[in-house]
Amino acid sequence: MAQTLDDLPPRAALAEIARDFHARGWMAGTAGNLSARADDGHFWITASGMPKGRLDELDFLLVRVKDGEVVERVRPENKPSAETAIHRAIYALFPAARACLHGHVVTAAIAADRAKKGAKSLRLPAIEMIKGFDIWQQNPKVDLPLFENHLDVAKIARDIDARFKKTKPAVTALMVRAHGPTIWGASLQQAYNRFEILEYLLRYQAQARAR
Ligand SMILES: CSCCC(=O)C(=O)COP(=O)(O)O
Ligand SMILES: [Zn+2]
């Protein structure tokens, strides 16, 4: 077994993450999409509408960051994720991002539901796990950026681009209301770790409120 996800070829690592997230209920059915940078200008992304627990290395397409053009696809019938625009926005905004993971996570959707109408962020609990986002402060006030969901995914991507061009987020993560979180990282393993950590933080918060 590879020691870390970064020891695997990117498409093999993404397929492994998809199986893992599917088993944990974070990519139920066809939900979610995963990508990894191939080079500065391109990234591999999951094919749209595939059962995410059963992907293989051929179910990824190589997409150009600047215009979304598909430059390589092994299975001619495959289309890039319907949410490719969000991945493109993240790679264009954050040159250090090497991987970008989107799932549909119940705890995250419920946390967003609880937020006031029009809220632009969710406050994360100031517990030890926040260090997983490289935040090393006593009782930090850390906000997870929150975006509205739109049928037009390009509109979500434009909102992300506009907000993050003005203000860089405190965490390498965002949440789309009634939809799901997207987390990026400087490596595949870091993005994976941070996805788990964000889910832990939101689960902790929900359970702490319910006790
Ligand atoms: C039942 S999932 C609805 C679409 C979605 O939100 C998603 O994450 C999966 O879309 P894709 O095109 O990447 O399969
Ligand atoms: Zn989605």
Side-chain angles (χ1 to χ4, degrees), residues 85-131:
I86 296 175
H87 295 250
R88 284 179 53 216
I90 296 300
Y91 289 122
L93 283 159
F94 305 109
R98 306 301 303 175
C100 183
L101 311 178
H102 162 67
H104 289 206
V105 177
V106 171
T107 42
I110 292 174
D113 268 1
R114 288 178 51 96
K116 289 204 180 88
K117 194 169 180 288
K120 295 272 184 280
S121 62
L122 299 174
R123 176 59 51 87
L124 294 173
I127 59 173
E128 180 71 11
M129 281 290 257
I130 204 82
K131 290 179 183 167

Side-chain angles (χ1 to χ4, degrees), residues 28-33 46-50 52 80-84 102-104 179:
T30 59
N33 28 79
T46 42
S48 184
M50 305 296 285
K52 302 301 181 343
S81 165
E83 294 169 354
T84 297
H102 162 67
H104 289 206
H179 188 162

